[in-house]
Amino acid sequence: MKCPNCGEEMAEGTLYCEHCGEDIHIVPDFEPELEADLEQSISEIMDELDQEHDGVFEEPEPEKRFSPKKLLIRLSVLLCILFVIAAVGACVWVYLYNSEEYQVSQAMRYTEAGAYDKAVACYNRALELNNDIELRFSLAEVYLLKNNKIEYEYLLREIADDKDATAEQLDRAYGKLIAIYRAREDFQTINDLLLTSDDENLILTYQNYIARAPEFSIREGYYTSIQPLKLTAFGAGKIYYTLDGSEPDENSQQYITPILLEDGDYCVKAVFINDNGIVSDVSVGEYHIENDEIPAPEVSVVSGEYEFPINIEILDEEKEDVYYTTDGSDPTYFSNAYTGPVPMPIGKSVFRFARIVDGVTGEIAERTYLLELNTEYTPAEAVNDIVQYCQDSGKIMDGAGHFDESGDVYQFHYQYVTNINDVSDFYVIAEAYLAADGTLTRTGTVYAVDIYTKEQYRLQRNERGRYELTRLEPEPE
């Protein structure tokens, strides 16, 4: 086809001349039914004119000769007919050219016939009439059939950026675009594309393709205590970080547990690399730490389950001002003061140790223990056995601890279980004197009962402070 303006050859289906830029008005194809109607109308008009001619000139002239008047009449009628045809055709052309429905139907017909260039021209005209998103989807599919992936991608990008697109349309556009880039293994472009979207549902759907910069749990700035810095990232992958301001990469320290920022200056940089190898932007945080807090005491025994008695100790060189509880409450000045190894209680216990200086409680060290002894002999049974021994020896008259008519009594209290001198494990039972007026005083007598053999001993300290065990012999019958 040649341009009517400059005469240059033009590609089929184009709407303007690439040489001179003149718009080309293509008269759309008429439907076969419309052409038939026009031909029938012209035929009927010609028949009516012939009938009128026959009625006016009923009597034949005696001599046939050429009549300029008759020729003029016939030419006038023919010109009128041609004018009507042209006017009707022009009206039809204008109507169809400005009909979105007609342009879309023609585009679909051309697509089915494989005339993709003509289909593109019709869809472009339809989009001039109505810039509808669904029409852009249809045009994009035609470009894909033409194997024109550049225009196909461009239209999908245009839809993805359209603020008027519905959630369903955005999902379709992003899905098609991601399919393109995934086939190319261009995961970085997928990441960049998704990060431009504000649709959280869409981002959640394709979260494995996104690498966002890691987030820090604490704001950068000045702190007067140790700060545990947590790093989090969106999606599946790994976080790498540096503390000296250098740029992190996959060769840097991998983040696994919170980073303890102690005394000093830190420039923390972190990057997230997801499972597809997409690298996020780098997050940066600067911190200045001056630790004025009192550190938690170092405890010798870790949390866990135990079957044998064990003593819990404070390993710090300075053991003063350490207080502890065994019920999980925070230590205070009214709690137990640490003076030496503490035997682990039977059953479950929650120890909390802290140093308290000038009314300021330092950091707390918490340990949880479960002690279940490898014996069926209980502390209560050991206390009963000591009470029975005291009765048998004549120290007391009854199980209540009475020794005379005064009303004063001896009492026996279980203290703890411990290993003594590597001999065995013992229940330690302290003796106390309860006066009738309610005054309770420890007598200083302490008993130890072997938790395995049930043998009974008196427990004393020698001059060097070492425990000594003296076997209690049963009274002769």
Side-chain angles (χ1 to χ4, degrees), residues 294-303 310-316 318-333 335-345 349-357 360-369:
I294 303 172
E298 186 177 354
V299 183
S300 64
V301 184
V302 299
S303 299
I310 189 169
N311 290 332
I312 305 165
E313 299 182 60
I314 298 301
L315 301 179
D316 299 350
E318 296 182 4
K319 298 178 174 58
E320 298 179 357
D321 303 319
V322 175
Y323 296 82
Y324 69 94
T325 61
T326 58
D327 59 359
S329 60
D330 290 344
T332 67
Y333 276 128
S335 302
N336 300 307
Y338 179 82
T339 57
V342 181
M344 183 183 295
S349 58
V350 180
F351 278 77
R352 305 196 83 187
F353 295 89
R355 184 172 280 104
I356 303 176
V357 181
V360 178
T361 302
E363 294 186 8
I364 296 174
E366 180 177 298
R367 301 290 186 273
T368 301
Y369 305 113

Side-chain angles (χ1 to χ4, degrees), residues 58 77 89 106 149 154 195 209 234 251 266 272 279 307 380 387 390 392 414 438 445:
E58 292 181 356
V77 171
Q106 287 292 93
K149 294 182 180 179
Y154 174 80
L195 290 180
Y209 294 101
F234 186 82
N251 297 317
Y266 299 88
F272 174 66
V279 182
E307 295 181 350
V387 171
C390 290
D392 294 342
Y414 165 75
T445 301

Side-chain angles (χ1 to χ4, degrees), residues 191 195 207 209-213 234 272-274 278-281:
N191 173 75
L195 290 180
Q207 60 179 318
Y209 294 101
I210 300 176
R212 287 179 171 175
F234 186 82
F272 174 66
I273 303 177
N274 73 8
I278 303 171
V279 182
S280 75
D281 293 335

